Amino acid sequence: MGKRVEWVDMAKAIGMIAVVFGHAIHPMTDAHHSVSVLFGVLYWWHMPLFFIIGGFFLKPIEQNLSAFKRFFMHRVWPNIKMYFGAGTILILLAHFLRGHSWHYTAWYFLRLVYGGRTLNKTLTIFLVYYRLRFDVNCRGYFN
């Protein structure tokens, strides 16, 4: 393990606190305008912060088709299979356990394809898990 970069650790800590705080105040955004503004301000910068910091530690990969195929098949494709496989299981479980209509379930499958903030309610924790799995799978390409 290399030497830790203190300012990076501090930036990550600030970002993590912003994420937790943003999730904590989210239920109050409809009731209070100032909380809604604070929520919007937090979401302008906290996720880009993680992408910027992560970019500092990327290792370059070879710039040819075989290296891209290798990266895709070993790092991206397993994540795509996990994303859709786990998402399908969660959506079908929610369908049968909560008694949703097939129309509602089909709509949730479209939301799974689209991703992002549309994955709420049953699939909220899925976003966290998938992001963690993607980070772990791509660890070989980071310092």
Side-chain angles (χ1 to χ4, degrees), residues 75-120:
R75 301 294 181 177
V76 177
W77 185 244
N79 286 300
I80 292 172
K81 290 190 304 188
M82 175 62 75
Y83 177 83
F84 286 107
T88 299
I89 291 169
L90 288 172
I91 290 170
L92 290 175
L93 277 172
H95 171 80
F96 291 112
L97 293 176
R98 294 186 177 179
H100 293 306
S101 69
W102 282 108
H103 181 266
Y104 182 87
T105 302
W107 176 244
Y108 240 95
F109 275 110
L110 287 175
R111 293 168 80 173
L112 181 68
V113 172
Y114 182 75
R117 293 188 88 178
T118 64
L119 296 177
N120 56 11

Side-chain angles (χ1 to χ4, degrees), residues 14-95:
I14 290 168
M16 286 180 220
I17 291 167
V19 169
V20 171
F21 188 68
H23 284 281
I25 67 171
H26 185 260
M28 298 179 281
T29 56
D30 290 336
H32 305 286
H33 177 69
S34 58
V35 175
S36 179
V37 171
L38 177 61
F39 180 79
V41 169
L42 285 174
Y43 273 76
W44 285 339
W45 63 268
H46 81 275
M47 288 312 293
L49 176 69
F50 290 115
F51 286 105
I52 291 167
I53 291 171
F56 288 130
F57 300 101
L58 284 174
K59 286 183 182 178
I61 60 174
E62 296 176 41
Q63 300 294 315
N64 59 51
L65 187 59
S66 65
F68 175 76
K69 284 181 183 176
R70 189 170 47 254
F71 174 79
F72 184 84
M73 293 308 292
H74 292 278
R75 301 294 181 177
V76 177
W77 185 244
N79 286 300
I80 292 172
K81 290 190 304 188
M82 175 62 75
Y83 177 83
F84 286 107
T88 299
I89 291 169
L90 288 172
I91 290 170
L92 290 175
L93 277 172
H95 171 80

Side-chain angles (χ1 to χ4, degrees), residues 116-133:
R117 293 188 88 178
T118 64
L119 296 177
N120 56 11
K121 299 178 184 170
T122 305
L123 299 178
T124 301
I125 191 65
F126 180 58
L127 288 174
V128 175
Y129 172 77
Y130 175 72
R131 172 60 202 261
L132 177 63
R133 179 160 171 90

Side-chain angles (χ1 to χ4, degrees), residues 128-142:
V128 175
Y129 172 77
Y130 175 72
R131 172 60 202 261
L132 177 63
R133 179 160 171 90
F134 183 79
D135 289 347
V136 169
N137 278 347
C138 289
R139 179 171 278 169
Y141 289 93
F142 295 92

